[in-house]
Coordinates of all heavy atoms in Angstrom, one line a residue:
M1 N 0.8 -1.2 0.0 CA 0.0 0.0 0.0 C 0.9 1.2 0.0 O 1.1 1.9 1.0 CB -0.9 0.0 1.2 CG -1.9 -1.2 1.3 SD -3.1 -1.1 0.0 CE -4.4 -0.2 0.9
L2 N 1.4 1.6 -1.2 CA 2.3 2.7 -1.3 C 1.8 4.0 -0.9 O 2.5 4.8 -0.3 CB 2.8 2.8 -2.8 CG 4.1 2.2 -3.1 CD1 4.4 2.3 -4.6 CD2 5.2 2.9 -2.3
W3 N 0.5 4.3 -1.1 CA 0.0 5.6 -0.8 C 0.2 6.0 0.7 O 0.3 7.2 1.0 CB -1.5 5.7 -1.2 CG -2.4 4.6 -0.5 CD1 -2.7 3.4 -1.1 CD2 -3.0 4.7 0.7 NE1 -3.5 2.7 -0.2 CE2 -3.7 3.5 0.9 CE3 -3.1 5.7 1.8 CZ2 -4.4 3.2 2.1 CZ3 -3.8 5.4 2.9 CH2 -4.5 4.2 3.1
R4 N 0.3 5.0 1.5 CA 0.4 5.3 2.9 C 1.7 6.2 3.2 O 1.7 7.0 4.0 CB 0.6 4.1 3.8 CG -0.7 3.4 4.0 CD -0.5 2.2 4.8 NE -1.8 1.4 5.0 CZ -2.7 1.7 5.9 NH1 -2.5 2.7 6.8 NH2 -3.8 1.0 6.0
F5 N 2.7 5.9 2.4 CA 4.0 6.6 2.6 C 3.9 8.0 2.0 O 4.8 8.8 2.3 CB 5.1 5.8 1.9 CG 5.3 4.5 2.6 CD1 4.8 3.3 1.9 CD2 5.8 4.4 3.8 CE1 5.0 2.1 2.5 CE2 6.0 3.1 4.4 CZ 5.5 2.0 3.7
N6 N 2.9 8.3 1.2 CA 2.8 9.7 0.7 C 2.0 10.6 1.6 O 1.9 11.8 1.3 CB 2.2 9.6 -0.7 CG 3.0 8.9 -1.7 OD1 4.3 9.0 -1.6 ND2 2.4 8.2 -2.6
R7 N 1.5 10.0 2.6 CA 0.6 10.9 3.5 C 1.4 11.4 4.7 O 2.2 10.7 5.3 CB -0.5 10.1 4.0 CG -1.3 9.4 2.9 CD -2.3 8.5 3.5 NE -3.6 9.1 3.5 CZ -4.7 8.5 4.1 NH1 -4.5 7.5 4.9 NH2 -5.8 9.1 4.1
A8 N 1.3 12.7 4.9 CA 2.0 13.3 6.0 C 1.1 13.3 7.3 O -0.1 13.6 7.2 CB 2.4 14.7 5.7
E9 N 1.7 12.9 8.4 CA 0.9 12.9 9.6 C 0.7 14.4 10.0 O 1.5 15.3 9.9 CB 1.7 12.2 10.7 CG 1.5 10.7 10.7 CD 2.2 10.0 11.8 OE1 2.2 10.6 12.9 OE2 2.7 8.9 11.5
G10 N -0.5 14.7 10.5 CA -0.9 16.0 10.8 C -0.2 16.5 12.1 O 0.2 15.8 12.9
V11 N -0.2 17.9 12.2 CA 0.4 18.5 13.3 C -0.7 19.2 14.2 O -0.7 19.1 15.4 CB 1.4 19.6 12.9 CG1 1.9 20.3 14.1 CG2 2.6 18.9 12.1
S12 N -1.7 19.7 13.4 CA -2.8 20.5 14.1 C -4.1 20.1 13.6 O -4.3 19.5 12.5 CB -2.6 22.0 13.9 OG -1.3 22.4 14.4
V13 N -5.1 20.4 14.4 CA -6.5 20.2 14.0 C -7.1 21.6 14.0 O -7.2 22.3 14.9 CB -7.3 19.4 15.1 CG1 -8.7 19.2 14.7 CG2 -6.6 18.1 15.3
A14 N -7.5 22.0 12.7 CA -8.1 23.3 12.6 C -9.7 23.2 12.5 O -10.2 22.3 11.9 CB -7.7 24.0 11.2
V15 N -10.3 24.1 13.3 CA -11.8 24.1 13.3 C -12.3 25.3 12.5 O -11.9 26.4 12.7 CB -12.3 24.3 14.8 CG1 -13.8 24.4 14.8 CG2 -11.8 23.1 15.6
N16 N -13.1 25.0 11.4 CA -13.6 26.0 10.6 C -15.1 26.0 10.7 O -15.8 25.0 10.5 CB -13.2 25.8 9.1 CG -11.8 25.9 8.9 OD1 -11.2 27.0 8.8 ND2 -11.1 24.8 8.9
I17 N -15.7 27.2 11.0 CA -17.1 27.3 11.1 C -17.6 28.3 10.0 O -17.2 29.4 10.1 CB -17.6 27.7 12.5 CG1 -17.2 26.7 13.5 CG2 -19.1 27.9 12.5 CD1 -17.3 27.1 15.0
D18 N -18.5 27.8 9.1 CA -19.0 28.7 8.0 C -17.8 29.4 7.3 O -17.9 30.6 7.0 CB -19.9 29.7 8.6 CG -20.9 30.2 7.6 OD1 -20.9 29.7 6.4 OD2 -21.7 31.1 7.9
G19 N -16.7 28.6 7.1 CA -15.6 29.1 6.3 C -14.6 29.9 7.1 O -13.6 30.4 6.5
V20 N -14.8 30.1 8.4 CA -13.9 30.9 9.2 C -13.2 30.0 10.2 O -13.8 29.2 10.9 CB -14.7 32.0 9.9 CG1 -13.7 32.8 10.8 CG2 -15.4 32.9 9.0
Q21 N -11.9 30.1 10.2 CA -11.1 29.3 11.1 C -11.3 29.9 12.5 O -11.0 31.0 12.8 CB -9.7 29.2 10.7 CG -8.8 28.3 11.6 CD -7.4 28.1 11.0 OE1 -7.3 27.4 10.0 NE2 -6.5 28.6 11.7
T22 N -11.8 29.1 13.4 CA -12.1 29.6 14.8 C -11.1 29.1 15.8 O -11.0 29.7 16.9 CB -13.5 29.3 15.2 OG1 -13.6 27.9 15.2 CG2 -14.5 29.9 14.3
A23 N -10.5 28.0 15.6 CA -9.5 27.4 16.6 C -8.6 26.4 15.9 O -8.9 25.8 14.9 CB -10.3 26.7 17.7
V24 N -7.4 26.3 16.5 CA -6.4 25.3 16.1 C -5.9 24.6 17.3 O -5.5 25.3 18.3 CB -5.3 26.0 15.3 CG1 -4.2 24.9 15.0 CG2 -5.8 26.7 14.1
Y25 N -6.0 23.3 17.3 CA -5.5 22.5 18.5 C -4.3 21.6 18.0 O -4.4 21.0 16.9 CB -6.6 21.7 19.0 CG -7.8 22.5 19.5 CD1 -9.0 22.4 18.7 CD2 -7.8 23.2 20.6 CE1 -10.1 23.2 19.1 CE2 -8.9 24.0 21.0 CZ -10.0 23.9 20.2 OH -11.1 24.7 20.6
P26 N -3.3 21.4 18.9 CA -2.3 20.5 18.5 C -2.8 19.0 18.5 O -3.5 18.7 19.5 CB -1.2 20.7 19.6 CG -1.9 21.4 20.7 CD -3.1 22.1 20.1
L27 N -2.4 18.3 17.5 CA -2.9 16.9 17.4 C -2.3 16.0 18.5 O -2.7 14.9 18.8 CB -2.6 16.4 16.0 CG -3.3 15.2 15.4 CD1 -4.8 15.4 15.6 CD2 -3.0 15.0 14.0
A28 N -1.2 16.5 19.0 CA -0.4 15.7 19.9 C -1.0 15.7 21.4 O -0.6 14.9 22.2 CB 1.1 16.1 20.0
E29 N -1.9 16.6 21.6 CA -2.4 16.7 22.9 C -3.9 16.2 23.0 O -4.7 16.7 22.3 CB -2.4 18.2 23.4 CG -1.1 18.7 23.9 CD -1.2 20.2 24.2 OE1 -2.2 20.7 24.6 OE2 -0.2 20.9 23.9
D30 N -4.1 15.3 23.8 CA -5.5 14.7 23.9 C -6.4 15.8 24.5 O -6.0 16.5 25.5 CB -5.5 13.5 24.9 CG -4.8 12.3 24.2 OD1 -4.3 12.5 23.1 OD2 -4.8 11.2 24.9
R31 N -7.6 15.9 24.0 CA -8.5 16.9 24.5 C -9.9 16.6 24.0 O -10.1 15.9 23.0 CB -8.1 18.3 24.3 CG -8.4 18.9 22.9 CD -8.1 20.3 22.8 NE -6.7 20.5 22.9 CZ -6.1 21.6 23.4 NH1 -6.8 22.5 24.0 NH2 -4.8 21.7 23.4
E32 N -10.9 17.2 24.6 CA -12.3 17.1 24.2 C -12.8 18.5 24.2 O -12.7 19.2 25.1 CB -13.1 16.2 25.1 CG -14.4 15.8 24.6 CD -15.1 14.7 25.5 OE1 -14.5 13.7 25.7 OE2 -16.3 14.9 25.8
V33 N -13.3 18.9 23.0 CA -13.8 20.3 22.9 C -15.3 20.3 22.4 O -15.6 19.5 21.5 CB -13.0 21.0 21.8 CG1 -13.3 22.5 21.8 CG2 -11.5 20.7 21.9
V34 N -16.1 21.0 23.1 CA -17.5 21.2 22.6 C -17.5 22.4 21.7 O -17.1 23.5 22.1 CB -18.4 21.4 23.8 CG1 -19.8 21.6 23.3 CG2 -18.4 20.2 24.8
I35 N -17.9 22.2 20.5 CA -18.0 23.3 19.5 C -19.4 23.6 19.3 O -20.2 22.8 19.0 CB -17.4 22.8 18.2 CG1 -15.9 22.4 18.3 CG2 -17.5 23.9 17.1 CD1 -15.3 21.7 17.2
T36 N -19.7 24.9 19.5 CA -21.1 25.3 19.3 C -21.2 26.2 18.0 O -20.3 27.0 17.8 CB -21.7 26.1 20.5 OG1 -20.8 27.1 20.8 CG2 -21.8 25.2 21.7
T37 N -22.2 25.9 17.2 CA -22.4 26.7 16.0 C -23.9 27.1 15.9 O -24.7 26.7 16.7 CB -22.0 25.8 14.8 OG1 -22.9 24.7 14.8 CG2 -20.6 25.4 14.8
G38 N -24.1 27.9 14.9 CA -25.5 28.4 14.7 C -25.6 29.8 15.2 O -24.8 30.3 16.0
D39 N -26.6 30.6 14.8 CA -26.8 32.0 15.2 C -26.9 32.1 16.7 O -26.4 33.1 17.3 CB -28.0 32.5 14.6 CG -27.9 32.7 13.0 OD1 -26.7 32.7 12.6 OD2 -28.9 32.7 12.3
N40 N -27.5 31.2 17.4 CA -27.6 31.3 18.8 C -26.9 30.2 19.6 O -27.2 29.8 20.7 CB -29.1 31.2 19.2 CG -29.9 32.3 18.5 OD1 -29.6 33.5 18.7 ND2 -30.9 31.9 17.7
D41 N -25.8 29.7 18.9 CA -25.0 28.6 19.5 C -25.9 27.4 19.8 O -25.7 26.7 20.8 CB -24.3 29.0 20.8 CG -23.1 29.9 20.4 OD1 -22.6 29.8 19.3 OD2 -22.7 30.6 21.3
E42 N -26.9 27.2 18.9 CA -27.9 26.1 19.2 C -27.4 24.7 18.8 O -28.0 23.7 19.2 CB -29.3 26.4 18.6 CG -29.3 26.4 17.1 CD -28.9 27.7 16.4 OE1 -28.1 28.5 17.0 OE2 -29.5 28.0 15.4
H43 N -26.3 24.7 18.0 CA -25.8 23.4 17.5 C -24.6 23.0 18.2 O -23.8 23.9 18.7 CB -25.5 23.5 16.0 CG -26.7 23.9 15.2 ND1 -27.9 23.3 15.3 CD2 -26.8 24.8 14.2 CE1 -28.8 23.9 14.4 NE2 -28.1 24.8 13.8
R44 N -24.4 21.7 18.3 CA -23.3 21.2 19.1 C -22.6 20.0 18.5 O -23.2 19.1 18.0 CB -24.0 20.8 20.5 CG -23.0 20.5 21.6 CD -23.9 20.4 22.8 NE -23.1 19.9 23.9 CZ -22.9 18.6 24.2 NH1 -23.5 17.7 23.4 NH2 -22.1 18.2 25.2
N45 N -21.2 20.1 18.5 CA -20.4 19.0 18.1 C -19.3 18.8 19.1 O -18.8 19.8 19.6 CB -19.7 19.2 16.7 CG -20.7 19.3 15.6 OD1 -21.4 20.3 15.5 ND2 -20.8 18.4 14.7
V46 N -19.1 17.5 19.5 CA -18.0 17.3 20.5 C -16.8 16.7 19.7 O -16.9 15.6 19.2 CB -18.5 16.3 21.6 CG1 -17.4 16.1 22.6 CG2 -19.7 16.9 22.3
L47 N -15.8 17.5 19.7 CA -14.6 17.1 19.0 C -13.6 16.4 20.0 O -13.4 17.0 21.1 CB -13.9 18.3 18.4 CG -12.4 18.1 17.8 CD1 -12.4 17.2 16.6 CD2 -11.8 19.5 17.6
V48 N -13.1 15.3 19.6 CA -12.2 14.6 20.5 C -10.8 14.4 19.8 O -10.8 14.0 18.6 CB -12.7 13.2 20.9 CG1 -11.6 12.4 21.7 CG2 -13.9 13.4 21.8
I49 N -9.8 14.8 20.4 CA -8.4 14.6 19.9 C -7.8 13.6 20.9 O -7.7 13.8 22.1 CB -7.6 15.9 19.9 CG1 -8.3 16.9 19.0 CG2 -6.2 15.6 19.4 CD1 -7.6 18.3 19.0
E50 N -7.4 12.4 20.3 CA -6.9 11.3 21.1 C -5.9 10.5 20.3 O -6.2 10.2 19.2 CB -8.1 10.5 21.4 CG -8.0 9.6 22.6 CD -9.4 8.8 22.8 OE1 -9.7 7.9 22.0 OE2 -10.1 9.2 23.7
D51 N -4.8 10.2 20.9 CA -3.8 9.4 20.3 C -3.4 9.9 18.9 O -3.2 9.1 17.9 CB -4.2 7.9 20.2 CG -4.5 7.3 21.5 OD1 -3.8 7.7 22.5 OD2 -5.4 6.5 21.7
G52 N -3.3 11.2 18.7 CA -2.9 11.7 17.4 C -4.0 11.7 16.3 O -3.7 11.9 15.2
K53 N -5.2 11.5 16.7 CA -6.3 11.4 15.8 C -7.4 12.3 16.3 O -7.6 12.5 17.5 CB -6.8 10.0 15.7 CG -5.9 9.1 14.9 CD -6.5 7.7 14.8 CE -6.5 7.0 16.1 NZ -6.1 5.6 16.1
A54 N -8.2 12.8 15.4 CA -9.4 13.7 15.7 C -10.6 13.0 15.2 O -10.7 12.5 14.1 CB -9.2 15.1 15.1
Y55 N -11.7 13.1 16.0 CA -13.0 12.6 15.5 C -14.1 13.3 16.3 O -13.9 14.0 17.3 CB -13.1 11.1 15.7 CG -13.1 10.6 17.1 CD1 -14.2 10.4 17.8 CD2 -11.8 10.3 17.7 CE1 -14.2 9.9 19.1 CE2 -11.8 9.9 19.0 CZ -13.0 9.6 19.7 OH -12.9 9.2 21.0
I56 N -15.3 13.3 15.7 CA -16.5 13.8 16.3 C -17.1 12.7 17.1 O -17.6 11.7 16.6 CB -17.5 14.4 15.3 CG1 -16.8 15.5 14.4 CG2 -18.7 15.0 16.0 CD1 -16.5 16.8 15.2
K57 N -17.2 12.9 18.4 CA -17.7 11.9 19.3 C -19.3 12.0 19.4 O -20.0 11.0 19.5 CB -17.1 12.1 20.7 CG -17.6 11.1 21.7 CD -16.8 11.3 23.0 CE -17.7 11.4 24.2 NZ -17.0 11.7 25.4
E58 N -19.7 13.2 19.3 CA -21.2 13.4 19.5 C -21.6 14.7 18.8 O -20.8 15.6 18.7 CB -21.3 13.8 21.0 CG -22.2 12.9 21.8 CD -22.3 13.4 23.2 OE1 -23.1 14.3 23.5 OE2 -21.5 13.0 24.0
A59 N -22.8 14.7 18.2 CA -23.3 15.9 17.6 C -24.8 15.8 17.6 O -25.4 14.7 17.6 CB -22.8 15.9 16.1
D60 N -25.4 17.0 17.5 CA -26.9 17.0 17.5 C -27.4 17.4 16.1 O -28.6 17.8 15.9 CB -27.5 17.9 18.5 CG -27.0 19.4 18.4 OD1 -26.3 19.6 17.4 OD2 -27.3 20.2 19.2
C61 N -26.6 17.1 15.0 CA -27.0 17.4 13.7 C -28.0 16.2 13.3 O -27.9 15.2 13.8 CB -25.9 17.5 12.7 SG -24.8 16.0 12.8
P62 N -28.8 16.5 12.3 CA -29.8 15.5 11.9 C -29.2 14.2 11.2 O -29.7 13.1 11.4 CB -30.8 16.2 10.9 CG -30.1 17.5 10.5 CD -29.1 17.8 11.6
D63 N -28.1 14.4 10.5 CA -27.6 13.2 9.7 C -26.5 12.5 10.5 O -26.2 11.3 10.2 CB -27.1 13.6 8.3 CG -26.0 14.7 8.3 OD1 -25.4 14.9 9.4 OD2 -25.8 15.3 7.3
E64 N -25.8 13.1 11.3 CA -24.7 12.5 12.1 C -23.6 11.9 11.2 O -22.9 10.9 11.6 CB -25.2 11.5 13.1 CG -26.0 12.1 14.2 CD -26.2 11.3 15.4 OE1 -25.8 10.1 15.4 OE2 -26.7 11.8 16.4
I65 N -23.5 12.4 10.0 CA -22.4 11.9 9.1 C -21.0 12.2 9.8 O -20.1 11.4 9.7 CB -22.5 12.6 7.7 CG1 -23.7 11.9 7.0 CG2 -21.3 12.4 6.9 CD1 -24.1 12.6 5.7
C66 N -21.0 13.4 10.4 CA -19.7 13.7 11.1 C -19.3 12.7 12.1 O -18.1 12.4 12.3 CB -19.8 15.2 11.6 SG -21.2 15.4 12.8
V67 N -20.3 12.2 12.9 CA -20.0 11.3 13.9 C -19.5 9.9 13.3 O -18.7 9.2 13.9 CB -21.2 11.0 14.8 CG1 -21.0 10.0 15.9 CG2 -21.7 12.4 15.4
Q68 N -20.1 9.6 12.2 CA -19.8 8.3 11.5 C -18.5 8.4 10.7 O -17.9 7.4 10.4 CB -20.9 7.9 10.6 CG -22.1 7.5 11.3 CD -23.4 7.6 10.5 OE1 -23.3 7.7 9.3 NE2 -24.5 7.8 11.2
T69 N -18.0 9.6 10.5 CA -16.7 9.8 9.7 C -15.6 9.2 10.6 O -15.5 9.5 11.8 CB -16.4 11.3 9.4 OG1 -17.5 11.8 8.7 CG2 -15.1 11.4 8.6
R70 N -14.7 8.5 9.9 CA -13.6 7.9 10.7 C -12.6 8.9 11.2 O -12.5 10.0 10.6 CB -12.9 6.7 9.9 CG -12.2 7.2 8.8 CD -11.7 6.0 7.9 NE -10.9 6.5 6.8 CZ -9.6 6.8 6.8 NH1 -8.9 6.6 8.0 NH2 -9.0 7.2 5.8
A71 N -11.9 8.6 12.2 CA -10.9 9.5 12.8 C -9.9 10.0 11.7 O -9.5 9.2 10.9 CB -10.2 8.9 13.9
A72 N -9.6 11.3 11.8 CA -8.7 11.9 10.8 C -7.3 12.1 11.5 O -7.2 12.5 12.7 CB -9.2 13.2 10.4
A73 N -6.2 11.8 10.8 CA -4.9 12.0 11.4 C -3.9 12.5 10.4 O -2.8 13.0 10.8 CB -4.4 10.6 11.9
Y74 N -4.2 12.5 9.1 CA -3.2 12.9 8.1 C -3.6 14.3 7.5 O -4.7 14.7 7.5 CB -3.2 11.9 7.0 CG -2.6 10.6 7.4 CD1 -3.5 9.5 7.8 CD2 -1.2 10.4 7.5 CE1 -3.0 8.3 8.3 CE2 -0.7 9.2 8.0 CZ -1.6 8.1 8.4 OH -1.1 7.0 8.8
V75 N -2.6 15.0 7.1 CA -2.7 16.3 6.5 C -3.7 16.3 5.4 O -3.6 15.5 4.5 CB -1.4 16.9 6.0 CG1 -1.5 18.2 5.3 CG2 -0.4 17.0 7.2
G76 N -4.7 17.2 5.5 CA -5.7 17.3 4.4 C -7.0 16.5 4.7 O -8.0 16.7 4.0
E77 N -6.9 15.6 5.6 CA -8.1 14.9 6.0 C -9.1 15.8 6.7 O -8.7 16.7 7.5 CB -7.8 13.7 6.9 CG -7.2 12.5 6.1 CD -7.1 11.3 6.9 OE1 -6.7 11.3 8.1 OE2 -7.5 10.2 6.4
T78 N -10.4 15.6 6.3 CA -11.4 16.5 7.0 C -12.5 15.7 7.5 O -12.8 14.6 7.1 CB -12.0 17.5 5.9 OG1 -12.5 16.8 4.8 CG2 -11.0 18.5 5.4
I79 N -13.2 16.3 8.5 CA -14.4 15.8 9.0 C -15.4 16.9 8.8 O -15.2 18.0 9.3 CB -14.3 15.4 10.5 CG1 -13.3 14.3 10.7 CG2 -15.7 14.9 11.0 CD1 -12.9 14.0 12.1
V80 N -16.5 16.7 8.1 CA -17.4 17.7 7.7 C -18.8 17.5 8.4 O -19.3 16.4 8.3 CB -17.6 17.8 6.2 CG1 -18.6 18.9 5.9 CG2 -16.2 18.1 5.5
C81 N -19.3 18.5 9.0 CA -20.7 18.5 9.5 C -21.4 19.5 8.7 O -21.4 20.7 9.0 CB -20.8 18.8 11.0 SG -22.5 18.6 11.6
L82 N -22.0 19.1 7.6 CA -22.7 20.0 6.7 C -23.9 20.8 7.4 O -24.0 22.0 7.2 CB -23.3 19.3 5.4 CG -22.3 19.2 4.2 CD1 -23.1 18.5 3.1 CD2 -21.9 20.6 3.8
P83 N -24.7 20.1 8.1 CA -25.8 20.9 8.7 C -25.3 22.0 9.6 O -26.0 23.0 9.8 CB -26.6 19.8 9.5 CG -26.1 18.5 8.9 CD -24.8 18.7 8.4
H84 N -24.2 21.8 10.2 CA -23.7 22.8 11.2 C -22.6 23.7 10.5 O -22.0 24.6 11.2 CB -23.1 22.2 12.4 CG -24.1 21.5 13.2 ND1 -23.8 20.8 14.4 CD2 -25.4 21.4 13.1 CE1 -24.9 20.2 14.9 NE2 -25.9 20.6 14.1
K85 N -22.3 23.5 9.2 CA -21.3 24.3 8.5 C -20.0 24.2 9.2 O -19.2 25.2 9.3 CB -21.7 25.8 8.3 CG -23.0 26.0 7.5 CD -23.4 27.4 7.5 CE -24.7 27.6 6.7 NZ -25.2 29.0 6.9
L86 N -19.7 23.0 9.7 CA -18.5 22.8 10.5 C -17.5 21.9 9.7 O -17.9 20.9 9.2 CB -18.8 22.2 11.8 CG -17.6 21.7 12.7 CD1 -16.9 22.9 13.3 CD2 -18.2 20.8 13.8
V87 N -16.3 22.4 9.6 CA -15.2 21.6 9.0 C -14.0 21.4 9.9 O -13.5 22.4 10.3 CB -14.8 22.2 7.6 CG1 -13.7 21.3 7.0 CG2 -15.9 22.3 6.6
I88 N -13.7 20.2 10.2 CA -12.5 19.9 11.0 C -11.4 19.5 10.0 O -11.7 18.5 9.2 CB -12.8 18.8 12.0 CG1 -14.0 19.0 12.9 CG2 -11.5 18.5 12.9 CD1 -13.9 20.2 13.8
E89 N -10.3 20.1 10.0 CA -9.3 19.8 9.0 C -7.9 19.5 9.7 O -7.5 20.3 10.6 CB -9.1 20.9 8.0 CG -8.1 20.5 6.9 CD -8.0 21.6 5.8 OE1 -8.5 22.7 6.0 OE2 -7.3 21.3 4.8
I90 N -7.3 18.5 9.3 CA -5.9 18.2 9.8 C -4.9 19.0 9.0 O -5.0 19.0 7.7 CB -5.6 16.7 9.7 CG1 -6.7 15.8 10.3 CG2 -4.2 16.4 10.2 CD1 -6.8 16.0 11.8
T91 N -4.0 19.7 9.6 CA -3.1 20.6 8.9 C -1.7 20.3 9.4 O -1.4 19.6 10.4 CB -3.4 22.1 9.1 OG1 -2.9 22.4 10.4 CG2 -4.8 22.4 8.9
A92 N -0.7 20.7 8.5 CA 0.7 20.5 8.9 C 1.2 21.7 9.7 O 2.4 21.7 10.1 CB 1.5 20.4 7.6
A93 N 0.5 22.8 9.8 CA 0.9 24.0 10.5 C 0.8 23.8 12.0 O 0.0 23.1 12.5 CB 0.1 25.2 10.0
G94 N 1.7 24.5 12.7 CA 1.6 24.6 14.1 C 0.4 25.4 14.6 O -0.2 26.1 13.8
A95 N 0.0 25.3 15.8 CA -1.1 26.0 16.3 C -0.7 27.5 16.4 O 0.4 27.9 16.7 CB -1.5 25.6 17.7
D96 N -1.7 28.4 16.0 CA -1.4 29.8 16.0 C -1.8 30.4 17.4 O -3.0 30.3 17.7 CB -2.3 30.4 14.9 CG -2.0 31.9 14.8 OD1 -1.4 32.5 15.7 OD2 -2.3 32.5 13.7
P97 N -0.9 30.9 18.1 CA -1.2 31.3 19.5 C -2.1 32.5 19.5 O -2.7 32.9 20.5 CB 0.2 31.7 20.1 CG 1.1 31.9 18.9 CD 0.5 31.0 17.8
D98 N -2.2 33.3 18.3 CA -3.1 34.4 18.3 C -4.6 34.1 18.2 O -5.5 34.9 18.4 CB -2.7 35.3 17.1 CG -1.4 35.9 17.3 OD1 -0.9 36.1 18.4 OD2 -0.7 36.3 16.3
L99 N -4.8 32.8 17.8 CA -6.2 32.4 17.6 C -6.9 32.2 19.0 O -6.3 31.7 19.9 CB -6.3 31.2 16.8 CG -6.3 31.4 15.3 CD1 -6.2 30.0 14.6 CD2 -7.5 32.2 14.8
D100 N -8.1 32.6 19.0 CA -8.9 32.3 20.3 C -9.2 30.9 20.4 O -9.9 30.2 19.7 CB -10.2 33.1 20.1 CG -11.0 33.0 21.4 OD1 -10.6 32.4 22.4 OD2 -12.2 33.5 21.4
M101 N -8.6 30.3 21.5 CA -8.8 28.8 21.7 C -10.1 28.5 22.4 O -10.4 27.3 22.6 CB -7.6 28.3 22.6 CG -6.2 28.6 22.0 SD -5.9 27.5 20.6 CE -5.3 26.0 21.4
T102 N -10.8 29.5 22.9 CA -12.0 29.2 23.6 C -13.2 29.0 22.7 O -14.2 28.4 23.2 CB -12.4 30.3 24.6 OG1 -12.5 31.5 23.8 CG2 -11.2 30.5 25.6
V103 N -13.1 29.4 21.4 CA -14.2 29.3 20.5 C -15.4 30.0 21.0 O -16.3 29.4 21.6 CB -14.6 27.8 20.1 CG1 -15.7 27.9 19.0 CG2 -13.4 27.0 19.7
Ligands
ZN1 ZN1 -22.9 16.5 11.8

């Protein structure tokens, strides 16, 4: 399986809501983040970073495709929650300290 060697392991997990990057977390640190989206923060996704992988553990979207998406660990892999306009992306860049980590 040659393609495996062409994939770069990710460094950070970027959170994008409606096209805007709102947070970046290091992939090396285990954490659980509740991401709220929507005009009144009425939507919820629980992002888990664990063992160098990121996945959505829980969400209140109607399709739950994001929850069923397998864990992402390589640069360019994404987890998308269309109903919540949320995109989780694995990137090669380090975390930007200027970004608001509290979302
Ligand atoms: Zn979803």
Side-chain angles (χ1 to χ4, degrees):
M1 299 290 272
L2 259 176
W3 54 268
R4 282 181 184 275
F5 298 103
N6 294 327
R7 305 171 102 192
E9 276 182 38
V11 176
S12 301
V13 181
V15 177
N16 295 281
I17 299 169
D18 206 1
V20 178
Q21 185 169 290
T22 58
V24 177
Y25 303 105
L27 199 52
E29 279 173 36
D30 290 2
R31 79 176 70 213
E32 190 169 313
V33 193
V34 176
I35 300 166
T36 52
T37 58
D39 292 339
N40 302 302
D41 286 339
E42 68 271 35
H43 304 311
R44 193 166 169 274
N45 294 72
V46 180
L47 168 69
V48 174
I49 302 172
E50 201 176 73
D51 299 329
K53 288 181 290 226
Y55 63 94
I56 301 288
K57 182 175 131 185
E58 238 182 87
D60 58 5
C61 55
D63 59 16
E64 292 200 351
I65 286 171
C66 54
V67 179
Q68 288 155 24
T69 304
R70 68 187 180 86
Y74 293 97
V75 173
E77 283 191 315
T78 55
I79 301 171
V80 179
C81 184
L82 270 184
H84 293 177
K85 297 178 184 168
L86 172 72
V87 178
I88 307 293
E89 186 178 8
I90 306 298
T91 74
D96 185 342
D98 293 336
L99 278 173
D100 181 6
M101 301 289 276
T102 58
V103 186

